[in-house]
Amino acid sequence: MRALLPALVAFGMVAGAVPAAAAPKKGAAKAAPKSAPAAPGAADTTKSEHAVLYLKVLISALQSEQIKDEAKTALVGCLYDNPLSKITDSMDKVFAENADKVHREKPSEVLAVLTAVCGYKGDPTQPAPAAAPAGR
């Protein structure tokens, strides 16, 4: 997991990653003096920490044999179709609105919120309820 963060930063998937430098335009008389990059604000740092947490939970869920394949498919599709920042914003919104019900410190609750945000209905760790037997 420790090797994951540098890889994410390298690909620009974690907020605060340095974007690639733009090529200078032809005919530019003089480049503007470079100023020191602004330090990320507390909100950016918190959002980055949340994104890393959510990604760790997602990766752990994908590696777990206790998570249903349908839930794994929903998680992969969600990550494929949405930027991590959008998923993080949605997750943070759910945690803010339900602070008394769900907690970031509990990975099982993070997983439940993550699967719900990604469109999976039900408990990702429990098998689907068996159909009621047909009567006469």
Side-chain angles (χ1 to χ4, degrees):
M1 288 287 180
R2 289 182 183 196
L4 181 62
L5 184 57
L8 293 175
V9 171
F11 289 111
M13 293 180 72
V14 175
V18 179
K25 294 181 180 180
K26 285 186 176 182
K30 196 172 191 182
K34 292 183 180 181
S35 60
D44 290 339
T45 301
T46 302
K47 185 175 178 179
S48 294
E49 290 171 356
H50 292 173
V52 170
L53 171 67
Y54 304 149
L55 194 56
K56 284 181 181 180
V57 170
L58 187 143
I59 290 169
S60 294
L62 294 177
Q63 293 175 339
S64 174
E65 292 180 11
Q66 297 174 350
I67 305 299
K68 293 192 285 187
D69 287 340
E70 296 84 13
K72 291 179 182 182
T73 301
L75 291 172
V76 170
C78 184
L79 188 58
Y80 183 79
D81 291 337
N82 300 290
L84 187 57
S85 61
K86 183 177 178 183
I87 296 169
T88 300
D89 290 341
S90 297
M91 293 282 294
D92 286 346
K93 182 178 177 183
V94 171
F95 281 110
E97 292 174 353
N98 300 292
D100 57 332
K101 297 176 186 172
V102 289
H103 307 91
R104 259 184 216 94
E105 297 79 31
K106 298 180 179 179
S108 60
E109 292 181 6
V110 173
L111 176 61
V113 172
L114 183 59
T115 54
V117 164
C118 289
Y120 181 78
K121 294 181 181 7
D123 186 348
T125 61
Q126 299 297 320
R136 294 189 211 185

